Amino acid sequence: IRTIFQASFWEPAFLDSNVTFSLDLYRFDQLYTDFSRTATGGGMSWGYRLTPQLHADIGYTGEQVTSKIGGLSGRTDVPIASLFTSGLTSALKMTLSYDSRDDRMFPTTGWFASTTAEWASQYLGSDNLYTRLSMRIRRFVPLPLEGVLRFNLVGGTIVAPAGRPVPLFERYFVGGIFNIRGFSRNSLGPQISIPSSSDPSSTLSGFNVGGIKQLYLNNEIEVPIVKAPLNLRGLLFFDIGNAFGEGEKINPTDMRMSFGWGIRWFSPVGP
């Protein structure tokens, strides 16, 4: 599903000041349901800690992106080549975040909130053009028996200049363990009906084109099963959300819902 090569550097107190600095170099290969995306590039950002909890930064991302039909469905012979583009994404990003969590790895109380504006423009030399606004709000509430009640609200919208489509590989694809659990990966959101092959007599099938808006809420209760050093935790969850296309409003009646249970293991080399 994913192949990732990434090198990151993060300096939280540049020259012993409130200035922060980060640098990333990466190559991502990712399979979506009906297409694949390859991105090679990097990013750099400078920030400033306004208070111990409030942080603002501005950054730049430059990456060469290629998309082509295929993906997890394995379909390669469908007549929609116009959806698949390649080119440079050159974007500025501004983020304001607030973090009052008591612990980064195992928070039991506090808030984390962030809002981000991203602008990929021809004035920056970008071939892929869009403006994206996104936000995330997380809340942690302590419970008896060392349990934690967690809320995670995520929203976003992306638009392109007049006469230009939002790039397929920048749209919102939801479903799966990283956002709305209980559904197949990237299976939710808008679809179009296309021939299943280039044969004129072929039947129509759904093609997931993603949304230009997304909204979802994760709710869960997490309790420790076995403490350190094993760090095994159990959880009950309820998720609700969806992605929405052009001309669609975020409608509560169109939200998809799921509930269930899970186990998390924070191993010595990461979660």
Side-chain angles (χ1 to χ4, degrees):
I1 295 177
R2 294 181 300 167
T3 303
I4 300 174
F5 299 93
Q6 184 174 18
S8 301
F9 175 80
W10 164 248
E11 174 53 77
F14 186 74
L15 299 179
D16 294 327
S17 68
N18 288 330
V19 175
T20 63
F21 171 75
S22 67
L23 179 67
D24 288 285
L25 298 174
Y26 56 81
R27 177 185 170 92
F28 293 162
D29 295 291
Q30 185 168 353
L31 296 180
Y32 290 80
T33 302
D34 293 305
F35 70 96
S36 63
R37 179 186 193 271
T38 299
T40 303
M44 180 176 64
S45 70
W46 292 90
Y48 189 81
R49 294 199 179 279
L50 304 172
T51 71
Q53 291 82 30
L54 191 62
H55 179 253
D57 72 37
I58 183 170
Y60 171 81
T61 298
E63 61 180 16
Q64 185 69 30
V65 185
T66 303
S67 67
K68 59 183 179 180
I69 194 166
L72 297 174
S73 68
R75 295 187 296 179
T76 59
D77 185 24
V78 293
I80 52 170
S82 59
L83 285 177
F84 301 98
T85 59
S86 302
L88 175 69
T89 296
S90 179
L92 289 176
K93 181 185 294 186
M94 293 172 286
T95 300
L96 182 66
S97 61
Y98 174 83
D99 190 352
S100 65
R101 294 173 294 177
D102 60 338
D103 188 278
R104 290 290 182 91
M105 283 292 292
F106 304 107
T108 62
T109 184
W111 293 81
F112 176 84
S114 68
T115 180
T116 299
E118 184 179 1
W119 183 52
S121 169
Q122 58 186 351
Y123 301 109
L124 300 173
S126 185
D127 299 317
N128 305 308
L129 309 179
Y130 61 86
T131 300
R132 187 198 310 271
L133 300 175
S134 56
M135 66 87 182
R136 177 187 296 269
I137 301 174
R138 304 176 71 183
R139 176 73 168 116
F140 304 87
V141 181
L143 296 176
L145 303 177
E146 300 185 47
V148 181
L149 176 63
R150 299 166 174 251
F151 303 98
N152 179 45
L153 178 65
V154 177
T157 181
I158 182 171
V159 296
R164 294 286 297 265
V166 175
L168 179 68
F169 46 78
E170 296 294 345
R171 297 166 71 96
Y172 296 112
F173 295 86
V174 297
I177 63 172
F178 296 111
N179 38 64
I180 305 176
R181 292 162 286 193
F183 294 92
S184 297
R185 180 180 174 86
N186 299 327
S187 62
L188 303 182
Q191 293 187 350
I192 60 174
S193 295
I194 62 169
S196 56
S197 71
S198 57
D199 186 340
S201 63
S202 63
T203 59
L204 296 179
S205 61
F207 186 96
N208 192 335
V209 295
I212 62 168
K213 296 183 286 287
Q214 71 168 357
L215 182 67
Y216 63 86
L217 173 65
N218 308 119
N219 313 271
E220 67 180 40
I221 296 175
E222 184 185 79
V223 295
I225 299 175
V226 182
K227 297 181 181 180
L230 189 57
N231 286 324
L232 194 65
R233 295 172 175 244
L235 61 99
L236 299 174
F237 69 83
F238 170 70
D239 293 344
I240 179 171
N242 210 342
F244 303 87
E246 289 86 349
E248 293 183 318
K249 295 182 179 180
I250 297 179
N251 189 339
T253 61
D254 294 329
M255 295 294 189
R256 305 299 299 274
M257 294 176 283
S258 66
F259 64 92
W261 62 274
I263 294 176
R264 289 195 179 115
W265 176 37
F266 293 82
S267 75
V269 293

